[in-house]
Amino acid sequence: MNDISPTHPRYHSLLLRDKMAQAYQEGILADTALIAHGRGEAFDYILGEKTNPPANKAIIVAAASLLLAENPVLSVNGNTAVLAGEDMVNLANLIQAKVEINLFYRTPKRVMKVQEVLESAGATGVLGKEDDDYLPLEGLKGPRSRAHPDGVHQADVVLVPLEDGDRAEALVALDKKVITIDLNPLSRTAQKSSITIVDNLVRALPLMIAEVKKLKGCSREDLEKIVNEFDNAENIHNTLDLISQHFKRDERL
Ligand code: PTJ
């Protein structure tokens, strides 16, 4: 970005915009990816552009769930690859998870581009590539129903940031624990997932990595306690409360 000063109050947000705009020019992102990003920005602004306590709580529960998982899979779309490809790969390495590409607006060219982003971030054995085997996920149609037989099909826990509601629902219906990161607490994905982190992907993933490192030495019993005590609906409710308090406090409104 040429002339925005680092002292600009929204400098980081503007940097991300620039990154996304450039990735769009390079053909990594879907045509509507910037619209999805803008929706995220709007919610992030309302949430104070910070990780709030309910998000922190969900991050801890997500980290514990990933550590308990037998077959964790991290699902990556275009926006996730561009905003947090390196963090997704680092997290996968830390918990021995598989990384699988799943695009809502799938084209062979975009799959290749996303694969390149992940591999240049250090990923090996990426699943969901253009020529890979796949089986459709029950309850879904079209390209987004593709799931790798050794990846999402086998998974007991799936991390699906910025997911579409139908896929989140289909994964839950298949008895998988679905962790999502979505700035919109009202989205169907946020509402239907097992663990919903209402935070910006770029803040949530580094925190999740730190939490995984912290919890790695814990016993299964301790991790299970963290997971079992969590109530996702209540946690989303607490986020919505935060938003309404924010509006009440704002004297401009
Ligand atoms: O790469 P593809 O083809 O798989 O397409 C990916 C997008 C994201 C374009 C596609 O899945 C899509 O259209 O998504 P939606 O239905 O617009 O949903 C995106 C959700 O992610 C919205 O609820 C946004 O608020 C949220 N979101 C956007 N940016 C972020 C975010 N959540 C967390 N962190 C963000 N940076």
Side-chain angles (χ1 to χ4, degrees):
M1 190 160 41
N2 346 347
D3 52 0
I4 303 282
S5 154
T7 58
H8 189 288
R10 312 211 52 258
Y11 178 69
H12 291 292
S13 171
L14 294 170
L15 274 189
L16 287 185
R17 255 191 201 185
D18 212 48
K19 196 175 188 184
M20 292 293 282
Q22 198 176 325
Y24 176 71
Q25 301 285 347
E26 290 168 13
I28 305 167
L29 293 173
D31 283 348
T32 56
L34 299 180
I35 298 173
H37 185 73
R39 179 151 26 139
E41 276 187 345
F43 278 101
D44 207 11
Y45 190 86
I46 291 170
L47 288 158
E49 293 179 330
K50 61 176 192 276
T51 304
N52 288 295
N56 253 322
K57 190 171 188 177
I59 287 168
I60 295 169
V61 179
S65 299
L66 287 169
L67 284 167
L68 284 168
E70 277 174 30
N71 289 307
V73 172
L74 313 187
S75 178
V76 178
N77 62 16
N79 290 45
T80 302
V82 171
L83 290 173
E86 228 167 87
D87 286 331
M88 288 296 269
V89 173
N90 290 342
L91 179 61
N93 289 340
L94 202 59
I95 55 169
Q96 307 301 313
K98 290 176 180 136
V99 174
E100 182 164 336
I101 299 169
N102 183 276
L103 303 186
F104 189 87
Y105 302 103
R106 189 179 178 102
T107 64
K109 188 173 157 229
R110 285 195 57 230
V111 173
M112 233 175 56
K113 296 258 178 197
V114 171
Q115 182 188 340
E116 277 168 18
V117 172
L118 292 171
E119 287 174 351
S120 63
T124 52
V126 173
L127 302 176
K129 300 188 297 293
E130 195 48 26
D131 295 331
D132 277 2
D133 287 346
Y134 67 91
L135 293 167
L137 263 193
E138 218 174 287
L140 281 184
K141 290 204 179 95
R144 74 196 156 134
S145 74
R146 287 171 77 123
H148 198 282
D150 301 330
V152 164
H153 270 288
Q154 301 277 334
D156 51 347
V157 179
V158 198
L159 172 64
V160 286
L162 282 73
E163 187 52 87
D164 121 85
D166 287 347
R167 186 159 179 258
E169 271 194 82
L171 291 167
V172 170
L174 289 167
D175 263 348
K176 298 178 192 301
K177 191 173 276 265
V178 175
I179 303 169
T180 195
I181 304 172
D182 190 329
L183 278 158
N184 177 4
L186 298 170
S187 76
R188 202 150 45 93
T189 302
Q191 299 280 331
K192 295 288 176 184
S193 292
S194 326
I195 302 168
T196 303
I197 300 163
V198 181
D199 195 12
N200 197 318
L201 179 65
V202 300
R203 288 191 302 269
L205 275 177
L207 292 172
M208 206 189 293
I209 289 171
E211 204 55 50
V212 165
K213 288 181 180 164
K214 215 159 98 188
L215 294 177
K216 240 185 163 177
C218 288
S219 65
R220 283 192 77 81
E221 288 71 28
D222 286 346
L223 294 175
E224 277 161 4
K225 190 164 180 284
I226 292 173
V227 174
N228 293 338
E229 281 177 355
F230 181 68
D231 181 335
N232 199 45
E234 184 185 61
N235 205 49
I236 294 175
H237 188 82
N238 291 341
T239 305
L240 293 171
D241 265 359
L242 261 180
I243 293 176
S244 66
Q245 281 163 27
H246 173 98
F247 279 114
K248 276 185 209 144
R249 270 202 309 270
D250 194 326
E251 285 163 9
R252 293 167 302 175
L253 302 170

